Amino acid sequence: MCGIYGIVGKKRCKLQLIKGLESLRYRGYDSCGLSIINQGIQTYKSLEGPNALLKSIPTTTDATIGIAHTRWATHGQVNLKNAHPQCYRDKISIVHNGIITNHESLREELSQHGYTFESQTDTECITLLLDYYLSLHSFETAIELMTTRLEGRFAFACITTESPKEVIIYRKDMPLYISKSDRNYAVSSDIYAFNSHDQFAPLPNETVTSLSPEGCSILLEFLPLPELPPQKDKHQLHTLSEIHEQPVVISQIYKQWLKSPFTLQPRHVAILGCGSSYHSGLILQYWLRQKKIACDIYLSSEVKDFGAYHSKDTLVIAISQSGETADTLIALSKFTLAQKIAICNVDHSSLIRNCNFSFLLNAGKEIGVASTKAFSAQVTALFLLSRQFLSLTIPPIKSVVDTMQHHLYLKDHLKLHAKSIAKYKSLLVLGRHTCFPISLEAALKFKELCYIHAEGLAVGELKHGPLAMIDNNVLIIVLMPQACTHTQTAISEIHARNGTTLVIGDQDICDLKIDIPNHPLGILALNACLQLLAVYTAMEKGLNIDQPRNLAKCVTVE
């Protein structure tokens, strides 16, 4: 999703702006750009990567202040006019995350004041609105008035020739952080962009703030910046590397839990999530309902419009890799009576700040847009919580870790099946019980990475409609970790209609025979194989695996 970076100091900022943009690339973007103040505002934009910007900026520039942005298109097509920064007559430049929900009425109002819009973005409304108020008021008053007129969830950074030595920043329910070093101050929507700093602080909500070479206009409590992950070799696939990190990640979560377990005993559990986080929550629902704990799971994007049943006895479990998923944060606010726990991979995120408790996954930065190790981390954390809720002992994890490590090196065997999968236009993935959420997650990976239409189904639902899909263009992947009469019947129904199956499990009838430990988390070993199948299928099709088209890592807009 869109990323903001800005810097102000006493040394040249060009290279630091480019480095900040490079650090934000993993979030997903369509275009990027930056503005610097160097005898007026100079702006550079690109539909390629940040290095393309570097080629455009004069080597002689000595600018010490600038703002930069990676854009994931919401309002308007992907082109240079819609790319950020959005500028007005080289005297105002703004980069912006989120959505200005009243942009249409602002656009109409500003048009009546004689302004002409050059882009389709809601961001341009901020730029022109600021110029309008600057024509009537002092700089400080204009900024304050402009922010009061904007509606929605958003964050922005602004530079102007009116005040050429400061960056003005503001956020409303969107993440924005400030960092400092002995050389400069920086602002970003993602702490991973602070690659040369050692301290950071979250920006207070709805507080106009300015950064200058002398410091920050408001008093903040700066924290040590978490250790950032090492940079990968540029030729290495992040997604593949993150799949291989999973055995270590789930082992670390086990160790973390044994040191400091939770002591919650909920009567009713409500789960919130989107995408892979929703699928991990579905697995928790199976574990809790088998032991008679009332449990409901909601797609966050649905709850935000109508709310959901809860009481003071409800524990809301909100799941998000980034902790900035807009739909989940909005849905969480509907549960006014309940206790809330965040399952999250990013410390100091909005989700953690809005919950009573947090289970920090510490899985490390996940750069690949398609979630892999974060999903396994979520499932592991939820399993440990479920055992505590149910007052059950925690079985050792060694069998799962050892099996997963073994499966991750079945490269040639898996690539052979991936070559076949790549030929199909559509996939159905069937699973039963906790393998049903795994089938949904596998289908999502094939959609995200391979651009193949894929649908996850409960085995028992095949005969209730989906059998009509069976033809030569559809491959049915069947998950069968143990012998199951219902699953074998479904396979027979498919074969009776000349359908093609790829059966995965540890039974002798399986086409892809893999060991699956007799452990509730054994499904993660199965899931790792499915992740690799999706990656190798995408490789077979020559696709961009780390950054699939149209997607973003951190979905901060509704």
Side-chain angles (χ1 to χ4, degrees), residues 109-345:
E109 177 185 331
L110 289 163
S111 296
Q112 292 174 356
H113 287 303
Y115 286 96
T116 301
F117 285 79
E118 296 183 359
S119 79
Q120 299 166 294
T121 67
D122 53 344
T123 310
E124 193 175 5
C125 290
I126 310 176
T127 309
L128 300 185
L129 188 63
L130 177 56
D131 182 74
Y132 172 69
Y133 283 125
L134 282 171
S135 69
L136 302 173
H137 304 282
S138 68
F139 181 74
E140 291 77 11
T141 302
I143 293 288
E144 290 286 353
L145 287 172
M146 180 262 286
T147 57
T148 62
R149 295 294 311 282
L150 304 176
E151 298 175 6
R153 300 176 71 254
F154 59 87
F156 69 77
C158 168
I159 55 176
T160 73
T161 53
E162 290 275 333
S163 186
K165 293 185 178 181
E166 62 181 353
V167 177
I168 304 300
I169 54 179
Y170 183 84
R171 77 175 188 93
K172 183 180 179 184
D173 303 328
M174 293 282 284
L176 210 55
Y177 305 93
I178 297 170
S179 73
K180 67 176 180 178
S181 70
D182 57 357
R183 299 180 303 278
N184 50 46
Y185 279 78
V187 58
S188 182
S189 52
D190 190 323
I191 62 171
Y192 289 128
F194 298 139
N195 44 53
S196 64
H197 290 188
D198 51 18
Q199 297 182 73
F200 83 103
L203 182 70
N205 206 35
E206 298 188 65
T207 302
V208 175
T209 307
S210 65
L211 297 179
S212 70
E214 285 68 45
C216 181
S217 64
I218 60 174
L219 185 64
L220 294 172
E221 182 181 350
F222 282 85
L223 305 168
L225 196 66
E227 183 178 349
L228 301 182
Q231 294 294 312
K232 302 285 188 185
D233 182 274
K234 65 179 180 179
H235 300 296
Q236 190 175 1
L237 275 177
H238 290 287
T239 303
L240 197 55
S241 174
E242 286 154 8
I243 290 172
H244 280 265
E245 290 173 27
Q246 290 177 119
V248 173
V249 166
I250 64 176
S251 296
Q252 289 174 340
I253 292 173
Y254 247 67
K255 292 176 183 176
Q256 173 187 335
W257 174 268
L258 294 175
K259 289 180 182 177
S260 54
F262 285 83
T263 56
L264 301 170
Q265 290 289 335
R267 296 183 180 180
H268 172 239
V269 172
I271 307 168
L272 297 174
C274 303
S276 294
S277 296
Y278 176 76
H279 299 158
S280 67
L282 276 172
I283 296 173
L284 174 63
Q285 186 183 46
Y286 274 94
W287 287 328
L288 294 184
R289 283 185 169 178
Q290 286 175 357
K291 299 296 181 180
K292 306 298 189 290
I293 286 185
C295 180
D296 298 303
I297 182 164
Y298 303 98
L299 283 165
S300 300
S301 56
E302 292 290 295
V303 173
K304 67 182 183 183
D305 295 324
F306 58 82
Y309 166 77
H310 70 287
S311 70
K312 60 182 176 59
D313 294 323
T314 299
L315 174 67
V316 178
I317 300 179
I319 311 169
S320 167
Q321 188 281 140
S322 67
E324 303 297 348
T325 307
D327 287 331
T328 298
L329 290 169
I330 294 169
L332 186 68
S333 68
K334 304 291 184 181
F335 290 82
T336 54
L337 304 175
Q339 294 274 69
K340 303 165 186 176
I341 180 169
I343 307 295
C344 184
N345 193 35

Side-chain angles (χ1 to χ4, degrees), residues 291-516:
K291 299 296 181 180
K292 306 298 189 290
I293 286 185
C295 180
D296 298 303
I297 182 164
Y298 303 98
L299 283 165
S300 300
S301 56
E302 292 290 295
V303 173
K304 67 182 183 183
D305 295 324
F306 58 82
Y309 166 77
H310 70 287
S311 70
K312 60 182 176 59
D313 294 323
T314 299
L315 174 67
V316 178
I317 300 179
I319 311 169
S320 167
Q321 188 281 140
S322 67
E324 303 297 348
T325 307
D327 287 331
T328 298
L329 290 169
I330 294 169
L332 186 68
S333 68
K334 304 291 184 181
F335 290 82
T336 54
L337 304 175
Q339 294 274 69
K340 303 165 186 176
I341 180 169
I343 307 295
C344 184
N345 193 35
V346 181
D347 201 359
H348 307 290
S349 63
S350 299
L351 186 65
I352 286 179
R353 292 198 300 271
N354 282 281
C355 288
N356 308 94
F357 311 95
S358 62
F359 195 141
L360 189 61
L361 300 177
N362 289 317
K365 182 178 179 181
E366 189 178 60
I367 295 176
V369 168
S371 183
T372 52
K373 67 175 179 177
F375 173 79
S376 291
Q378 289 169 355
V379 173
T380 304
L382 293 170
F383 170 69
L384 294 169
L385 279 176
S386 74
R387 304 297 282 194
Q388 192 266 310
F389 293 168
L390 301 167
S391 300
L392 298 174
T393 58
I394 300 171
I397 195 67
K398 188 175 185 302
S399 62
V400 176
V401 171
D402 290 347
T403 305
M404 188 181 290
Q405 286 176 329
H406 171 69
H407 291 347
L408 293 174
Y409 294 96
L410 298 175
K411 186 175 182 179
D412 294 335
H413 197 39
L414 292 169
K415 280 189 172 182
L416 187 64
H417 287 286
K419 191 181 288 288
S420 299
I421 294 171
K423 298 174 183 177
Y424 285 90
K425 296 180 179 180
S426 187
L427 303 176
L428 298 179
V429 188
L430 307 185
R432 195 159 186 266
H433 293 300
T434 54
C435 278
F436 168 50
I438 295 296
S439 75
L440 294 173
E441 178 63 13
L444 180 59
K445 292 295 158 284
F446 282 110
K447 281 183 269 196
E448 289 176 316
L449 299 178
C450 311
Y451 312 153
I452 296 175
H453 169 260
E455 185 178 351
L457 293 171
V459 167
E461 288 298 296
L462 181 67
K463 57 185 173 292
H464 295 293
L467 269 174
M469 293 287 294
I470 304 301
D471 65 19
N472 293 332
N473 294 316
V474 179
L475 173 67
I476 298 88
I477 299 175
V478 184
L479 310 183
M480 193 162 69
Q482 62 273 326
C484 174
T485 303
H486 299 291
T487 305
Q488 289 170 335
T489 299
I491 294 169
S492 297
E493 292 170 346
I494 294 164
H495 290 168
R497 289 155 180 82
N498 297 317
T500 304
T501 59
L502 171 61
V503 184
I504 304 175
D506 59 3
Q507 310 304 304
D508 290 335
I509 66 166
C510 292
D511 305 298
L512 176 53
K513 193 173 187 302
I514 60 172
D515 295 325
I516 300 173

Side-chain angles (χ1 to χ4, degrees), residues 13-15 17-18 21 33-36 38 42-45 50-63:
C13 67
K14 178 179 72 171
L15 291 179
L17 287 170
I18 297 296
L21 287 177
L34 62 85
S35 289
I36 54 177
N38 188 34
Q42 298 168 0
T43 299
Y44 306 89
K45 300 181 182 183
N51 282 330
L53 296 172
L54 189 59
K55 297 173 185 176
S56 304
I57 305 170
T59 56
T60 56
T61 183
D62 58 358

Side-chain angles (χ1 to χ4, degrees), residues 83-104:
H84 294 205
Q86 286 291 309
C87 306
Y88 183 68
R89 293 184 177 175
D90 296 330
K91 65 177 185 177
I92 300 172
S93 181
I94 287 180
V95 292
H96 156 241
N97 285 359
I99 293 177
I100 307 301
T101 55
N102 62 330
H103 71 96
E104 290 183 354

